[in-house]
Amino acid sequence: MKIIKSLAKCVREYKKESILTPIFITIEVLMECFMPLVTSQLINILNSKNDIVNILGFVEIDRRDPNQLLLAIGICGVLLTVMAFVSLFGGAMAAKFGAKAASGFGKNVRQDVYYKIQDFSFANIDKFSTSSLVTRLTTDVTNVQQTYGMLIRLAVRSPLMLVFAVVLSFTYHPTLPLLFLIIIPILVVGLSLIFKFSHPLFVKVFHKYDNLNERVQENVRGIRVVKSYVREEYEKKKFEKSSKEVCADFTKAESIIALNNPLMVLAMYICMTVISYVGAKLIITTQNQALEIGDLTALITYSMQILSSLMMFSFVFLMAVISSESASRIVEVLNEEPTLKNPSNPLYEIENGAIEFKNVSFRYSDKAEKNALQNINLKIESGETVGIIGGTGSSKSSLIQLISRLYDASEGEVLVGGHNVKEYDLESLRNQVSVVLQKNVLFSGTIKENLRWGNKEATDEEMKRACVLAQADEFISSFPDKYDTYIEQGGSNVSGGQKQRLCIARALLKNPKVIIFDDSTSAVDTKTDALIRKGLKEYIPQTTKIIIAQRIASVEDANKIVVMDNGMINQIGTHEELLKSNKIYQEVYYSQNKEQKAGDLNA
């Protein structure tokens, strides 16, 4: 019920269509159930041995009069035609509104899940994995959408037809329709067993779908690496293995579900055979007194309607089985609470770019065995340029991600502009703490459209100025379409260095109080790197600049340099101070300046 309540909120503006669909289905079913009444009357009139017969209980005619007999046939024919058109109208309208309701419901579910993901922190996304979220937005939503469409149509049609057909069949004979009441519980037991054995398989298969999507996503993202190392065959085998696992589980589940159809067909033909045999025997032995030919025809029609409605219901039931796991996975995302939330009375203004870490420790999840950062104490004045150096895995990126609240500190507090980052409105904080991440991402669209991610109101002059500072204007101007040049998905039509400079320009357009470069000049040459740093120093002196780098040259002119080691601050100082006293810094410096090291040794 919790799952149903959560998904019911997604109906919203499609409530009218969702209500009208079962109303028109009811009209269609009523007409279909009353048509056998008229047909049986017509057959009984034609086969009756009585001279005076009754039409539908309100008109008597003399069968010996051809005109009256034609009138009776005409009345029945007109009624059947009217009912057929009303049934057709009801079915067409139900299909129209049902399609609109189901498609709209699917759109809302997909939209709600997508919007929810936008509010997720990195910790939330790490919990689900990107491949799993993609599966939930695509395959799972499609399953739920299809099931909803069936629920408002077939799930209404089936029980209505079942009830009306059973009730009307008893008007022809008091005991013969009891066969339906015997066969229905048997079918219910059969469906329950099918559900019991197939549902666990569908639970497994959707998790394997996630793994399959992860294989595809990983391969496409790293296709250049795959081709560089000639690993296509290896990747094909990995994909084939995942695909076979999905296929095997689906085959097993579908094999169980396939038992539904023969079970229903068997029940249908047993009912029809028994009714035909017993009904024919009654007609012959009682000389049409207990049952007439038209009545038997109506009973056979009702048996078909009852069993077809059971087949439709079983089909909906099995679709519900398949989509129940999809629904559960969707609701899991919708009910997930973001680990990062705005405070009740947030601050919207950040006074300056001063940053302070007070006894900060951090771990990526509660299940993590150890902290990624341990006992960090660091103070950065507004406008300072701070370099961060450390080996791979020293948690440099983890440190700066706490400043813009991409993650929250597990212990201690991080202050920006004199206030704890948790006191700020998230959007305001991230607009004023701009981060150029290590993995630079550009989106499909023009250069202008990508730059305006930093400031959607940015003028052409502002964009050009930011690009000049980021040393991007020169190569942009060399393109035929200049700033209107189209960037392919992921920025595949620009080099790594060009991509980095565009991302730096995008961050500068925010005009932030703090700007963080997470090894974001690694793909540019040292000359361009120096020019970027010079431009930042001259044109945005009041902005706090934090530079994570592998190259000593990128941070040596910083006001202070933080040396990280194993999630802790090893030492803080200027280039000259660290070069004299810090072993880690010395090793990095001399490994990058071998000639200098040789000279020092000779001296």
Side-chain angles (χ1 to χ4, degrees):
M1 288 305 296
K2 289 180 180 178
I3 292 173
I4 293 172
K5 285 180 180 178
S6 296
L7 291 178
K9 298 174 184 176
C10 298
V11 177
R12 292 198 291 274
E13 69 268 31
Y14 297 96
K15 285 181 182 177
K16 183 182 78 172
E17 288 80 3
S18 299
I19 293 170
L20 286 174
T21 299
I23 290 174
F24 282 108
I25 285 287
T26 304
I27 294 170
E28 181 188 21
V29 169
L30 283 172
M31 293 301 102
E32 287 186 16
C33 288
F34 282 119
M35 285 171 74
L37 287 173
V38 179
T39 305
S40 66
Q41 283 283 305
L42 181 59
I43 294 171
N44 287 339
I45 289 170
L46 295 174
N47 288 279
S48 179
K49 294 181 180 179
N50 299 323
D51 293 332
I52 305 299
V53 293
N54 192 287
I55 304 174
L56 302 175
F58 63 87
V59 178
E60 286 189 349
I61 65 161
D62 187 347
R63 290 182 69 255
R64 293 168 297 182
D65 185 345
N67 292 328
Q68 291 190 31
L69 187 60
L70 285 172
L71 176 64
I73 295 171
I75 291 171
C76 291
V78 170
L79 279 173
L80 285 172
T81 303
V82 171
M83 286 181 176
F85 274 107
V86 172
S87 177
L88 176 64
F89 174 75
M93 295 304 291
K96 174 187 174 182
F97 288 118
K100 188 174 181 180
S103 299
F105 172 74
K107 179 205 74 174
N108 285 346
V109 172
R110 193 175 292 107
Q111 178 178 292
D112 288 356
V113 172
Y114 185 77
Y115 286 1
K116 186 74 175 184
I117 292 171
Q118 298 305 304
D119 292 332
F120 279 179
S121 65
F122 283 3
N124 294 118
I125 293 172
D126 292 342
K127 174 183 174 181
F128 288 102
S129 84
T130 54
S131 59
S132 178
L133 291 172
V134 169
T135 305
R136 293 169 203 239
L137 270 167
T138 51
T139 304
D140 289 337
V141 172
T142 299
N143 286 340
V144 170
Q145 177 182 326
Q146 289 176 345
T147 302
Y148 182 72
M150 290 180 182
L151 286 173
I152 60 176
R153 293 186 64 197
L154 299 183
V156 174
R157 177 187 174 85
S158 299
L160 279 176
M161 182 169 281
L162 179 66
V163 171
F164 285 134
V166 169
V167 170
L168 290 172
S169 64
F170 275 104
T171 63
Y172 289 97
H173 197 273
T175 57
L176 201 54
L178 290 173
L179 177 64
F180 302 137
L181 301 182
I182 295 171
I183 207 78
I184 289 172
I186 296 173
L187 293 176
V188 170
V189 171
L191 282 173
S192 300
L193 290 173
I194 289 172
F195 173 79
K196 179 181 177 181
F197 290 107
S198 63
H199 183 258
L201 291 171
F202 283 111
V203 173
K204 284 173 60 180
V205 83
F206 282 112
H207 288 294
K208 290 182 179 179
Y209 249 135
D210 291 345
N211 293 334
L212 186 67
N213 275 348
E214 187 174 2
R215 293 276 182 271
V216 175
Q217 186 179 21
E218 187 178 59
N219 183 270
V220 173
R221 184 183 296 165
I223 193 66
R224 288 174 173 78
V225 178
V226 173
K227 291 189 176 296
S228 298
Y229 284 87
V230 197
R231 299 287 281 176
E232 290 92 342
E233 290 302 317
Y234 174 74
E235 288 296 317
K236 286 177 184 177
K237 287 178 182 178
K238 277 172 60 179
F239 179 82
E240 185 180 2
K241 181 183 177 183
S242 297
S243 184
K244 281 182 177 178
E245 288 177 353
V246 171
C247 179
D249 281 348
F250 251 129
T251 301
K252 192 173 181 181
E254 293 288 354
S255 297
I256 296 172
I257 285 178
L259 296 173
N260 171 65
N261 195 55
L263 179 66
M264 289 295 169
V265 170
L266 178 65
M268 179 183 292
Y269 282 107
I270 288 174
C271 284
M272 289 179 62
T273 302
V274 172
I275 289 173
S276 298
Y277 174 78
V278 176
K281 189 174 181 180
L282 281 172
I283 292 171
I284 294 169
T285 56
T286 64
Q287 296 292 309
N288 287 341
Q289 295 302 310
L291 194 71
E292 296 186 58
I293 295 174
D295 299 342
L296 177 59
T297 304
L299 282 172
I300 292 173
T301 304
Y302 284 132
S303 70
M304 291 287 291
Q305 289 181 344
I306 289 167
L307 293 169
S308 66
S309 67
L310 285 171
M311 287 190 72
M312 283 189 288
F313 181 76
S314 68
F315 182 64
V316 175
F317 177 78
L318 294 174
M319 274 303 299
V321 170
I322 294 172
S323 65
S324 61
E325 178 60 18
S326 291
S328 176
R329 284 156 54 86
I330 289 169
V331 170
E332 189 180 4
V333 175
L334 292 174
N335 291 342
E336 175 76 5
E337 287 298 323
T339 57
L340 302 179
K341 293 182 179 179
N342 264 350
S344 54
N345 295 300
L347 299 173
Y348 293 94
E349 294 295 329
I350 298 175
E351 186 177 339
N352 55 52
I355 300 169
E356 187 173 1
F357 288 79
K358 290 185 176 180
N359 303 314
V360 171
S361 295
F362 168 70
R363 63 177 61 193
Y364 281 98
S365 73
D366 295 333
K367 298 178 182 178
E369 294 182 1
K370 66 174 187 177
N371 289 334
L373 293 168
Q374 183 67 40
N375 195 32
I376 301 295
N377 287 282
L378 174 64
K379 192 169 184 178
I380 301 170
E381 299 297 334
S382 182
E384 275 192 324
T385 298
V386 176
I388 301 178
I389 287 284
T392 302
S394 59
S395 297
K396 303 183 296 295
S397 296
S398 300
L399 180 72
I400 59 97
Q401 286 173 349
L402 301 181
I403 300 172
S404 58
R405 276 199 84 192
L406 296 176
Y407 290 98
D408 268 342
S410 304
E411 298 174 25
E413 57 180 354
V414 180
L415 282 68
V416 173
H419 294 275
N420 193 315
V421 290
K422 295 180 181 179
E423 297 176 23
Y424 289 111
D425 171 68
L426 267 173
E427 185 177 344
S428 300
L429 175 66
R430 289 174 184 169
N431 275 329
Q432 290 300 307
V433 180
S434 192
V435 183
V436 185
L437 294 170
Q438 188 174 11
K439 293 182 179 179
N440 298 287
V441 177
L442 294 175
F443 299 89
S444 52
T446 64
I447 289 176
K448 282 184 179 179
E449 288 169 345
N450 271 276
L451 291 173
R452 285 195 171 111
W453 274 68
N455 179 4
K456 61 183 179 181
E457 304 297 333
T459 63
D460 289 352
E461 291 75 18
E462 288 171 332
M463 285 188 283
K464 185 175 178 65
R465 179 175 177 272
C467 288
V468 168
L469 285 177
Q471 301 301 308
D473 181 65
E474 185 177 351
F475 76 79
I476 294 173
S477 299
S478 68
F479 294 147
D481 295 324
K482 296 183 172 49
Y483 283 80
D484 291 313
T485 299
Y486 190 82
I487 299 293
E488 301 293 343
Q489 185 179 14
S492 59
N493 60 331
V494 290
S495 70
Q498 290 171 338
K499 191 189 299 184
Q500 284 189 333
R501 282 176 276 173
L502 286 172
C503 290
I504 292 170
R506 182 173 64 188
L508 289 171
L509 278 171
K510 280 181 173 288
N511 193 26
K513 295 285 195 310
V514 178
I515 187 164
I516 299 169
F517 301 95
D518 186 0
D519 202 17
S520 50
T521 58
S522 57
V524 301
D525 58 82
T526 53
K527 180 183 177 182
T528 303
D529 184 12
L531 288 171
I532 291 172
R533 285 184 284 110
K534 181 182 177 185
L536 295 175
K537 186 176 181 179
E538 291 177 357
Y539 289 96
I540 50 171
Q542 302 304 316
T543 299
T544 303
K545 295 164 280 293
I546 299 176
I547 303 169
I548 295 177
Q550 300 296 332
R551 292 190 298 226
I552 293 289
S554 297
V555 297
E556 64 182 353
D557 57 350
N559 296 108
K560 56 189 169 192
I561 301 168
V562 180
V563 180
M564 299 288 297
D565 182 37
N566 198 27
M568 295 183 286
I569 294 178
N570 181 269
Q571 190 175 340
I572 301 172
T574 63
H575 171 69
E576 290 76 15
E577 291 169 347
L578 294 173
L579 198 56
K580 289 178 182 178
S581 59
N582 189 269
K583 192 172 182 179
I584 296 173
Y585 195 81
Q586 289 170 349
E587 288 177 357
V588 176
Y589 178 80
Y590 286 125
S591 68
Q592 295 174 6
N593 299 271
K594 291 181 180 179
E595 292 182 6
Q596 178 67 41
K597 180 181 179 183
D600 290 348
L601 289 173
N602 292 330

